[in-house]
């Protein structure tokens, strides 16, 4: 028995290494379980990298001043718009590239990649100019005080002005994922975030010939880190070992493919904006109950986001598997891949929910020991964790629609779950029925349950199998 366990453990380590080294990119044949593992591992690691980056950035900046942290908060809320465009375009890029790769049409995948990158450059240049010229006005519009604007506008100018680095990082990684090269996307983020962690303190606090830039230094370090990763991605696209290899003759605009990408990406952009705007409204309702309740909620959401990242990784794997298998004319294999990924995600999320239900108070206490903060934060963790298994399936199935290029269906589901159901229920339960914060937590959980049920019912209908991209 011990020998068998050792063998399976060795096998697992071997598969893990193959997954992160990217030696396997064919996911339309062979074991579905193996395909999910090979795609999920690098995508999970990629998402965890993004979480670590966010934590490190805020840890350094919090040593500068309260205004510095507030500047990041205000700027991030504006950059949400950039993220929405980048994520929407990335969903479209993954869907189209995965479909072409599944069809064994590598040239078509190369054309789609070039058009996606061209669109990304165009959007980010326009937004970048606005950010550079109107940095102070943007902070003022978001309610920044004069002293905050004076201290922080440099950060805003660099972050929005240099948004091309984050747009291209998202976009080219989406192309790699669609092609089945999830490990390259992971290594790009390892490079980006690794450099950022090293450069952050140098540019914020000064180091040798580098002057002390304060909060603006965080933006400079971020852009250098992301920019270096983009150069690495472009190097792989033109000279590397990825499935998609570009040559100079590929750098031609194809408006038909570009319009198709824009059409598919609109649903992705809408999904992201519906989700983020509903969180903004929930935050507004929570602010009615005082800063300690709000702090508990904020900490709980941050903790949950960290454990949701692996779940996102598995969901992204489902999107690639659907796209490639539909391209290979294997819709049944695409469907089985989704249900299996959903099952594995549910096992992971179910385990996490048990940890939250049992240890919620201890977890929140690591971040803050104020009794009201701990009470509300732990309540938030426990109530939302109660719906985690539904959340696991909802996330995978929504991404499966996106992988098929059907971005309209998840947009409709998000609209029903978040705007039609969650927000009115949160308002009525919290403020009208006077349940307080508990009303918001219950609304979040029930909305995720409804989202999962609608997504699974519509997925079973199978209309996504007929979508052409």
């Amino acid at each position: 028995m011990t020998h068998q366990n050792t063998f399976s453990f060795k096998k697992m380590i071997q598969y893990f290494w193959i997954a992160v080294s990217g030696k396997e990119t064919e996911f339309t044949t062979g074991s579905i379980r193996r395909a999910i593992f090979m795609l999920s591992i690098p995508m999970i690691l990629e998402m965890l990298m993004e979480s670590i980056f966010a934590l490190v950035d805020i840890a350094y900046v919090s040593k500068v001043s309260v205004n510095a942290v507030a500047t990041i908060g205000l700027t991030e809320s504006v950059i949400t718009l950039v993220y929405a465009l980048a994520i929407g375009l990335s969903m479209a890029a993954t869907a189209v590239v995965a479909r072409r790769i599944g069809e064994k049409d590598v040239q078509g995948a190369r054309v789609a990649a070039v058009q996606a990158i061209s669109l990304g450059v165009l959007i980010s240049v326009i937004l970048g100019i606005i950010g550079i010229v109107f940095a102070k006005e943007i902070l003022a519009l978001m309610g920044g005080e004069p002293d905050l604007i004076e201290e922080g506008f440099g950060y805003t100018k660099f972050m929005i002005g240099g948004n091309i680095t984050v747009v291209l990082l998202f976009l080219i990684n989406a192309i790699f994922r669609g092609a089945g090269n999830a490990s390259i996307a992971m290594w790009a983020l390892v490079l980006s975030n690794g450099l950022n962690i090293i450069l952050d303190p140098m540019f914020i606090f000064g180091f040798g010939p580098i002057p002390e830039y304060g909060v603006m230094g965080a933006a400079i370090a971020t852009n250098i880190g992301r920019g270096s990763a983009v150069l690495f991605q472009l190097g792989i696209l033109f000279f590397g070992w990825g499935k998609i290899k570009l040559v100079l003759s590929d750098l031609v605009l194809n408006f038909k493919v570009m319009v198709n990408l824009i059409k598919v990406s609109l649903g992705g952009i809408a999904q992201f904006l519906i989700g983020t705007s509903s969180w903004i409204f929930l935050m507004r309702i929570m602010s009615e109950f005082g800063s300690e309740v709000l702090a508990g909620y904020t900490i709980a959401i941050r903790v949950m986001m960290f454990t949701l990242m692996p779940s996102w990784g598995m969901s992204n794997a489902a999107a690639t598997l659907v796209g490639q298998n539909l391209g290979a004319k294997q819709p049944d294999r695409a469907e089985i891949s989704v249900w299996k990924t959903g099952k594995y995600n549910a096992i992971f999320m179910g385990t996490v929910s048990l940890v939250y239900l049992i240890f919620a108070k201890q977890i929140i206490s690591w971040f803050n020991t104020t009794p009201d903060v701990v009470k509300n934060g732990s309540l938030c963790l426990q109530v939302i964790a109660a719906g985690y298994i539904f959340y696991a399936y909802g996330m995978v199935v929504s991404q499966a629609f996106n992988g098929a290029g059907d971005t309209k269906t998840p947009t409709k589901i998000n609209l029903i779950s978040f705007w039609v159901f969650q927000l009115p229920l949160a308002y009525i339960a919290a403020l009208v029925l006077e349940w307080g914060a508990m009303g918001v937590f219950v609304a979040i959980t029930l909305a995720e349950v409804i989202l999962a049920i609608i997504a699974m019912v519509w997925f079973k209908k199978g209309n996504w199998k007929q979508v052409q991209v």
Side-chain angles (χ1 to χ4, degrees), residues 44 48 304 306-312 314 341-355 388-389 392:
I44 287 168
L48 284 173
M304 281 187 279
F306 195 77
T307 49
L308 282 176
M309 287 303 172
S311 204
W312 267 113
M314 273 189 255
T341 309
K343 185 178 87 174
Y344 299 141
N345 205 12
I347 292 167
F348 167 73
M349 293 287 271
T351 310
V352 171
S353 71
L354 285 176
V355 174
Y388 255 23
I389 288 173

Side-chain angles (χ1 to χ4, degrees), residues 294-307 356 363-364 367 373 376-382 384 388 441:
L294 192 58
Y297 172 71
T298 306
I299 292 167
I301 297 297
R302 284 285 162 92
V303 169
M304 281 187 279
M305 286 312 291
F306 195 77
T307 49
Y356 285 167
I363 292 167
I364 301 296
F367 298 90
V373 172
N376 285 283
S378 55
L379 185 66
C380 180
L381 267 188
Q382 288 169 327
I384 296 177
Y388 255 23
F441 307 152

Side-chain angles (χ1 to χ4, degrees), residues 13 33 41 47 49 111 121 156-157 164 201 209 224 321 366 440:
I13 295 293
R33 183 188 291 183
I41 291 297
M47 291 295 170
M49 273 287 127
V111 171
V121 170
T156 308
K157 185 183 280 190
I164 190 166
I224 293 172
L321 287 167
W366 292 342
V440 175

Side-chain angles (χ1 to χ4, degrees), residues 186-207:
M186 178 197 76
W187 289 116
L189 273 191
V190 168
L191 174 65
S192 165
N193 296 334
L195 272 174
N196 190 62
I197 289 165
I198 296 164
L199 296 175
D200 241 5
M202 292 183 179
F203 281 92
I204 292 171
F205 309 112
F207 182 79

Side-chain angles (χ1 to χ4, degrees), residues 233-299:
Q233 290 173 319
L234 292 171
I236 299 290
L237 277 177
F238 283 96
F239 311 108
W241 65 90
K243 202 159 206 174
I244 295 178
K245 211 165 191 178
L246 300 180
V247 290
L248 286 175
S249 59
D250 290 323
L251 304 182
V252 178
L253 293 181
N254 183 319
F255 290 104
K256 189 183 171 193
V257 176
M258 206 178 262
V259 168
N260 183 38
L261 278 165
I262 291 168
K263 272 188 201 163
V264 178
S265 68
L266 288 175
I269 293 166
Q271 276 173 60
F272 187 80
L273 288 177
I274 289 166
T276 48
S277 59
S278 70
W279 280 107
I280 291 164
F281 283 119
L282 288 177
M283 195 65 96
R284 179 69 191 84
I285 295 170
M286 289 297 295
S287 68
E288 293 289 317
F289 309 116
S291 56
E292 289 179 343
V293 176
L294 192 58
Y297 172 71
T298 306
I299 292 167

Side-chain angles (χ1 to χ4, degrees), residues 68-145:
V69 178
T71 299
I72 286 190
L74 295 180
T75 307
E76 280 293 319
S77 55
V78 176
I79 288 181
T80 300
L81 177 65
V82 178
Y83 286 160
L85 294 167
I87 287 169
L89 206 45
S90 298
M91 283 179 185
T94 297
V96 176
V97 169
R99 187 72 67 97
R100 296 294 94 84
I101 291 292
E103 291 165 353
K104 303 282 187 281
D105 177 10
V106 178
Q107 178 55 33
R110 278 156 53 176
V111 171
V114 170
Q115 306 320 305
I117 293 168
S118 305
L119 270 171
V121 170
L122 178 68
I123 291 165
S124 54
V125 166
I126 294 166
L127 291 172
I129 292 167
I130 294 167
I132 291 166
V133 177
F134 299 108
K136 287 186 176 181
E137 287 80 357
I138 289 168
L139 284 175
L141 191 68
M142 293 303 295
E145 299 289 324

